[in-house]
Amino acid sequence: VINRLRRVSDGILIRNVVSPRAFMSSSITTEAFQENTKSKAYGSEQIQVLEGLDPVRKRPGMYIGSTGPRGLHHLVYEILDNAIDEAQAGFATKIDVVLHADNSVSITDNGRGIPTELHPVTKKSSLETVLTVLHAGGKFGGSSSGYSVSGGLHGVGLSVVNALSEALEVTIWRDGKEYQQKYARGKPVTTLICQELPVEMRDRQGTAIQFWPDKEVFTTEIQFDYNTIAGRIRELAFLNPELTIVLKKDDIDPEKTQHTEYFYAGGLVEYVKWLNADKKPLHDVLEFRKEADGITIDMALQWCSDAYSDTMLGYANSIRTIDGGTHIDGVKAALTRTLNNLGKKSKTIKEKDINLSGEHVREGLTCVISIKVPNPEFEGQTKTRLGNPEVRKLVDQSVQEYLTEYLELHPDVLDSILSKSLNALKAALAAKRARELVRQKSVLRSSSLPGKLADCSATNPEEAGNFTLIWISQPMCREAIIISSNLEKRHISMSMMLHV
């Protein structure tokens, strides 16, 4: 009895003792409950207003795609595209890009230079306006725009780079003067400094921007890849034949310094030749240029005999549209329709029921199309896809007219392209039949037939030269299984059920 009382009393004591851990968990639960209650509140206090460049720093992925290497290199492309716009407008002939050893980047052009006068709306200099105000720029179109055609549209590129840089320095040469100003995380840290240029430099004009990406924003190491930027610069040099772009990478070790100059007078023709350098072309590069309704179309294309996939690159105002768009859709539709029409007209495609699909027509094709649109419709700030509906119709008509005229005058080129396309069709049909055969064979193998009735195969042609017929008697039906193989060493076995 005493032992029982002790156990009971011990139990009571244990239940009544409050341990420190229990007290801590209780307090945490209370705090969590209060925080949960607070988070459920939704009033005017919960509505936040982000001003200036705060939205960019709060949600950088919306403007540059990511905070990883892709977004880091996008900062370079934003400044580079502004310099390209000056070249497309006919004011810049050279761009210098330098990757410095301190992981900063500087881009210099010899264009008109960013205006520095007082802006009538913001009451700041125009330079500070485009660097600190979202949707401020000279590329919105209309009579007041500074560009007839440009890759920049939204007026946020330069200000986004400024917001996501821990430091940015800008130098402008304009009207015989040099202007300089420094920024930090989107805010000016110095006033706009102006000084007269020496007499021998009075004619100099252009813009130079150097920026240091912010380590607080980017989740990966701040390091620019030379080859990645070189690939983008090479594209821009092909698209702008009169422009010279110099890329340089500084290093503490002088022997590791890299320097490349890009200039391609041949334009898109040279671009296609470069893409097909290690292939066997069926014909010379086809090229055409057309202007209509304010839109300029430049295209070059070539089929290769030893290529079995297509390479189609689309650009709008020198911006690479990696996800395609209406200009790419127009090219694809025109190619398929034109080659089918010419194939039937020339009797190369004899069967009325056969139509070459776009996949067969484009096998082995390398095509680059560059269009310049006054008011392009890109999807998002990263501009990966073009959406102008009028572009598709114009590209479709232009490509069809050019190809029809050229291929009718060069029947040998037409025959080689159609032969390539028909071979692609035959290969696709053969692959389809092979897939169906494998599926039928897998169905027979999955059926639970006795061992004596399983498929037989042999590698010896003498043994595999005859057909074997096996009859099976059942109360309700008879079935015959024919097991065959070819006479080659590379044999194929198949089973066919005959219901009698």
Side-chain angles (χ1 to χ4, degrees):
V1 176
I2 293 172
N3 290 336
R4 289 181 182 174
L5 289 173
R6 283 180 180 175
R7 286 196 293 270
V8 171
S9 61
D10 289 345
I12 293 171
L13 287 173
I14 290 172
R15 285 195 299 271
N16 290 338
V17 170
V18 179
S19 65
R21 181 176 297 178
F23 178 78
M24 290 173 62
S25 63
S26 176
S27 61
I28 293 172
T29 304
T30 304
E31 291 176 2
F33 177 76
Q34 291 175 351
E35 185 177 347
N36 188 37
T37 304
K38 186 177 180 180
S39 65
K40 288 182 178 179
Y42 185 60
S44 58
E45 298 82 3
Q46 280 70 46
I47 303 299
Q48 301 180 35
V49 179
L50 301 178
E51 298 179 348
L53 298 179
D54 291 340
V56 182
R57 294 187 62 82
K58 191 76 173 178
R59 297 288 184 267
M62 174 181 174
Y63 298 91
I64 61 173
S66 75
T67 54
R70 176 188 167 199
L72 182 66
H73 288 81
H74 189 80
L75 298 182
V76 180
Y77 304 154
E78 286 286 2
I79 306 299
L80 184 58
D81 288 343
N82 287 339
I84 293 296
D85 288 340
E86 280 292 296
Q88 288 183 154
F91 299 102
T93 57
K94 186 179 180 182
I95 299 173
D96 292 283
V97 181
V98 181
L99 309 180
H100 297 279
D102 60 354
N103 291 325
S104 66
V105 180
S106 63
I107 298 175
T108 306
D109 67 68
N110 62 348
R112 292 170 290 182
I114 301 173
T116 57
E117 298 83 4
L118 189 69
H119 194 274
V121 177
T122 61
K123 306 303 179 184
K124 305 176 184 178
S125 69
S126 297
L127 173 63
E128 185 175 338
T129 299
V130 298
L131 276 163
T132 60
V133 179
L134 289 175
H135 306 293
K139 304 173 184 177
F140 291 106
S143 58
S144 61
S145 174
Y147 301 84
S148 58
V149 171
S150 67
L153 298 176
H154 310 127
V156 300
L158 184 54
S159 54
V160 164
V161 175
N162 190 22
L164 301 180
S165 300
E166 62 183 28
L168 183 144
E169 297 178 2
V170 57
T171 304
I172 296 169
W173 300 275
R174 187 181 171 99
D175 302 326
K177 299 178 181 179
E178 181 183 82
Y179 301 86
Q180 289 183 328
Q181 194 170 16
K182 297 182 180 180
Y183 293 80
R185 295 185 171 91
K187 298 179 180 179
V189 294
T190 65
T191 58
L192 183 61
I193 302 172
C194 174
Q195 60 182 9
E196 293 284 340
L197 287 171
V199 177
E200 64 274 11
M201 297 179 62
R202 289 285 174 88
D203 294 335
R204 183 174 185 179
Q205 61 181 15
T207 303
I209 293 176
Q210 184 174 2
F211 65 93
W212 291 257
D214 195 349
K215 298 181 182 65
E216 297 178 0
V217 173
F218 293 94
T219 56
T220 58
E221 182 184 1
I222 306 297
Q223 187 172 3
F224 292 96
D225 183 68
Y226 184 88
N227 294 327
T228 300
I229 296 175
R232 173 62 179 154
I233 289 176
R234 185 184 297 108
E235 288 180 341
L236 294 171
F238 279 126
L239 296 171
N240 299 274
E242 299 178 357
L243 176 66
T244 300
I245 308 178
V246 178
L247 175 62
K248 182 181 178 183
K249 182 178 182 180
D250 291 336
D251 197 280
I252 300 174
D253 185 356
E255 295 182 357
K256 295 183 179 179
T257 300
Q258 295 176 270
H259 181 277
T260 311
E261 182 174 314
Y262 298 91
F263 175 78
Y264 301 102
L268 297 188
V269 172
E270 201 167 348
Y271 194 2
V272 172
K273 288 181 179 179
W274 180 79
L275 291 170
N276 291 339
D278 57 345
K279 300 176 183 177
K280 298 178 182 178
L282 288 172
H283 54 85
D284 294 334
V285 179
L286 311 184
E287 181 197 23
F288 83 94
R289 178 186 178 92
K290 184 175 181 178
E291 296 183 19
D293 301 329
I295 300 174
T296 303
I297 302 172
D298 284 293
M299 194 175 84
L301 68 161
Q302 185 181 52
W303 275 266
C304 295
S305 60
D306 57 343
Y308 302 98
S309 61
D310 65 314
T311 301
M312 298 196 69
L313 305 179
Y315 299 86
N317 296 357
S318 294
I319 302 294
R320 169 78 186 279
T321 51
I322 58 176
D323 293 333
T326 51
H327 54 326
I328 296 294
D329 295 339
V331 173
K332 290 180 177 179
L335 287 173
T336 305
R337 184 174 58 256
T338 302
L339 287 177
N340 273 294
N341 292 341
L342 292 177
K344 292 177 180 178
K345 185 177 180 180
S346 63
K347 307 297 184 183
T348 305
I349 303 177
K350 299 178 181 179
E351 294 84 352
K352 295 182 180 179
D353 297 335
I354 291 181
N355 272 317
L356 296 170
S357 69
E359 182 182 356
H360 306 141
V361 166
R362 296 192 304 272
E363 183 178 284
L365 171 67
T366 299
C367 175
V368 181
I369 179 170
S370 174
I371 66 168
K372 291 181 172 58
V373 192
N375 295 296
E377 298 174 4
F378 291 111
E379 295 184 3
Q381 176 61 20
T382 51
K383 304 170 186 174
T384 57
R385 184 177 176 83
L386 185 70
N388 295 64
E390 71 277 8
V391 169
R392 175 182 174 127
K393 181 179 179 181
L394 182 61
V395 170
D396 190 332
Q397 292 176 349
S398 302
V399 173
Q400 182 176 1
E401 291 173 2
Y402 169 76
L403 274 182
T404 301
E405 181 180 356
Y406 182 88
L407 294 177
E408 285 181 344
L409 294 174
H410 300 81
D412 55 331
V413 176
L414 174 62
D415 291 341
S416 61
I417 295 173
L418 287 175
S419 176
K420 172 79 172 171
S421 302
L422 288 171
N423 286 336
L425 174 61
K426 292 176 182 177
L429 293 175
K432 182 181 178 182
R433 286 193 295 268
R435 286 195 301 269
E436 292 174 351
L437 181 62
V438 170
R439 287 168 185 159
Q440 291 174 0
K441 188 178 180 72
S442 63
V443 169
L444 289 171
R445 283 185 173 178
S446 63
S447 61
S448 56
L449 290 174
K452 292 182 179 180
L453 303 181
D455 289 352
C456 64
S457 62
T459 56
N460 188 349
E462 296 179 356
E463 297 177 358
N466 299 321
F467 290 96
T468 304
L469 184 63
I470 303 174
W471 289 93
I472 306 171
S473 298
Q474 291 185 0
M476 299 300 295
C477 68
R478 291 181 181 178
E479 293 180 340
I481 301 178
I482 298 178
I483 304 172
S484 65
S485 62
N486 63 4
L487 299 179
E488 300 176 0
K489 290 184 179 180
R490 186 182 58 190
H491 65 278
I492 301 174
S493 64
M494 62 179 292
S495 298
M496 180 170 61
M497 303 294 293
L498 300 178
H499 292 273
V500 180

